[in-house]
Amino acid sequence: MKAAQWYGKEDLRVEEVSEPTPGPGQVKLRNAYSGICGSDLHYYFFPESLPFDPNKPHPLTGAALPQILGHEFAGTVVEVGEGVTGVKIGDRAAVYPLTAYCGECAACRRGLHFSCPLMGSVGANAPGGGLSEYTAVDASALHLLPDNVDLRLGALVEPMAVGWHAVARSGVEPGGTALIAGAGPIGIGAWFAFKARGVEKVLVSEPSADRRAIVARLGATVVDPVNEDLGAVIVEFTGGAGVDAAVDAAGAGAAITSALAGLVAGGRIVVAALHEHPMDFQPTMLMMGETEIVGAVGYEPEEFDAVIAAMANGVYDTTGWVEERPLAGIVDALHTLRSGAGAKILIKTD
C-alpha cells in the first residue's frame, strides 16, 4: 500500500509499505481522508520543537522513524481482529488518535491525558497513521458515523473536536458573546462549536482577507485586526460590555493581547493554538479585570461524539474552506498551508 512516511525535517516520502494486519482487539481500516494539522507542519518543518525526540523509539508505543503521519482521519472497516465486538466490516468511523499515556504522572492522575509527557498518538508517535491506504487501530478508538455523516466530514471530527473542547473551556453560556482570533480550521471549528452550543454573537478576527471571506461565507461576523480598530469593533459588537470569552486559534501573541483588552470583567481567554514565539503582556490587565488565560489541548471521547451528533444535525458546513488533494500531493499541501494560503486540506487516501 502507499503511505506518507516521515523521516525527519522536511523529509516526507510517499512510498510502498506493507499493509497492516489487525491484532487482537483491533480493526483494519481502509482510510478515506486524512486532514493536515498544524502539528503536522511542526513535524515537517520544525521537528526540533516537538515535545518528544522522534529519533528515539517512543517509550510506550515503540514507534520510531520512519513514521506514517496523519491523525485526523476516517475510514471503513475492512477486517476485524480477534475479540472485537460491536464493530463489523463495512462500518464507517472517525478515529480517536490518542493511543498511549503513562497513567502515572500528575497530568494523567488528573485525567489530562493529552498533557502527559509520554502521550502517544496514531499518526504522530504511535504505529500507523491516516496518510496511508490502510491502518490498524484499536476497535475502541472508533467513533461510528451515522448514515448522514460522510467520510469527508468524518475526517474533520478530530480538528472540530479541538475547537469544541476550546469552546467548552471558555465557559460561555448560550446567549453569551465571544471572540475568535484566527479563521483557520481550529478557529472555524470553534465558530461551529459556539453555534452548536447556542452562542450566536461571535466575532471572528482574521488578518487574511481570503480567510475572512471564507468564514464570512459561512455566516460569521468578521473583523480585520490589522486595518480596523478591533477594540472599537468589540465595543460596538457588545454594546460596550466586552466579550465573555475569546479563543486564540491564531498562535500569535498579538491575538492574545488584543483579546485581553476586549474581555468583559471576569472573562476568559482560551489558548488553543501552538505558538512558535514567546510573547509579552501586562499581567495587571488580568488583575484589574479578574480575567483568566487558560489552555486547551486535545479533547475527550465524548466531545468526538458531540461533534458527530452536531454534524448529523447539519451544524457543520464544509463549503469553501475544505480542499481535497491526492496523497501524492502531500508535500505541496504542507508548503501551501505553511505559506498561509487555504484553510483546510484533506488528503484523499482511498
Side-chain angles (χ1 to χ4, degrees):
M1 70 172 186
K2 290 193 181 324
Q5 294 211 107
W6 175 51
Y7 283 82
K9 186 178 179 70
E10 297 190 47
D11 188 358
L12 183 65
R13 312 171 196 174
V14 177
E15 53 193 7
E16 288 287 337
V17 301
S18 299
E19 288 188 21
T21 299
Q26 291 190 317
V27 300
K28 179 180 177 180
L29 285 182
R30 182 175 69 244
N31 300 329
Y33 296 95
S34 184
I36 301 176
C37 175
S39 57
D40 294 322
L41 299 182
H42 277 75
Y43 299 147
Y44 184 76
F45 291 105
F46 309 108
E48 65 278 1
S49 70
L50 297 175
F52 59 92
D53 186 348
N55 296 297
K56 297 179 180 178
H58 190 277
L60 297 182
T61 70
L65 297 181
Q67 167 72 46
I68 297 174
L69 293 185
H71 62 275
E72 305 176 355
F73 65 106
T76 303
V77 177
V78 294
E79 187 177 346
V80 297
E82 179 184 351
V84 171
T85 59
V87 177
K88 64 183 184 301
I89 292 173
D91 280 346
R92 301 169 312 110
V95 176
Y96 188 89
L98 180 66
T99 188
Y101 46 85
C102 74
E104 299 174 354
C105 69
C108 284
R109 291 198 301 271
R110 288 173 170 258
L112 302 175
H113 300 134
F114 274 90
S115 298
C116 174
L118 297 181
M119 185 269 286
S121 171
V122 173
N125 53 3
L131 287 169
S132 59
E133 294 182 87
Y134 298 93
T135 194
V137 297
D138 290 345
S140 60
L142 301 186
H143 287 249
L144 300 183
L145 301 175
D147 291 342
N148 65 339
V149 176
D150 61 23
L151 288 166
R152 191 169 183 263
L153 271 176
L156 294 171
V157 171
E158 196 275 352
M160 296 301 95
V162 174
W164 191 282
H165 182 65
V167 167
R169 292 278 284 154
S170 77
V172 180
E173 298 291 337
T177 59
L179 169 71
I180 298 170
I186 303 307
I188 290 173
W191 184 79
F192 281 122
F194 275 123
K195 182 179 177 182
R197 297 165 74 96
V199 181
E200 296 291 342
K201 284 189 68 67
V202 181
L203 181 65
V204 180
S205 172
E206 170 57 59
S208 164
D210 288 343
R211 287 188 167 183
R212 282 199 308 277
I214 286 170
V215 73
R217 283 195 294 270
L218 294 172
T221 301
V222 299
V223 57
D224 177 355
V226 176
N227 297 304
E228 297 181 70
D229 184 338
L230 178 59
V233 173
I234 292 174
V235 167
E236 182 178 358
F237 187 71
T238 62
V243 291
D244 297 321
V247 173
D248 163 34
I256 293 179
T257 53
S258 59
L260 269 173
L263 280 183
V264 70
R268 176 181 292 176
I269 291 178
V270 181
V271 179
L274 290 167
H275 283 242
E276 290 182 17
H277 307 289
M279 63 165 290
D280 293 320
F281 74 98
Q282 173 51 269
T284 302
M285 297 175 69
L286 299 179
M287 183 268 289
M288 293 302 294
E290 291 205 357
T291 48
E292 302 176 294
I293 300 177
V294 302
V297 61
Y299 31 71
E300 298 296 331
E302 56 268 26
E303 290 173 321
F304 251 52
D305 294 329
V307 169
I308 291 171
M311 287 177 170
N313 287 332
V315 172
Y316 289 83
D317 181 358
T318 62
T319 303
W321 67 279
V322 178
E323 175 188 351
E324 295 179 21
R325 295 196 185 185
L327 184 59
I330 178 63
V331 172
D332 286 343
L334 289 167
H335 283 273
T336 295
L337 293 173
R338 177 61 184 162
S339 73
K344 189 65 181 179
I345 296 179
L346 293 181
I347 300 298
K348 188 170 174 56
T349 52
D350 184 355

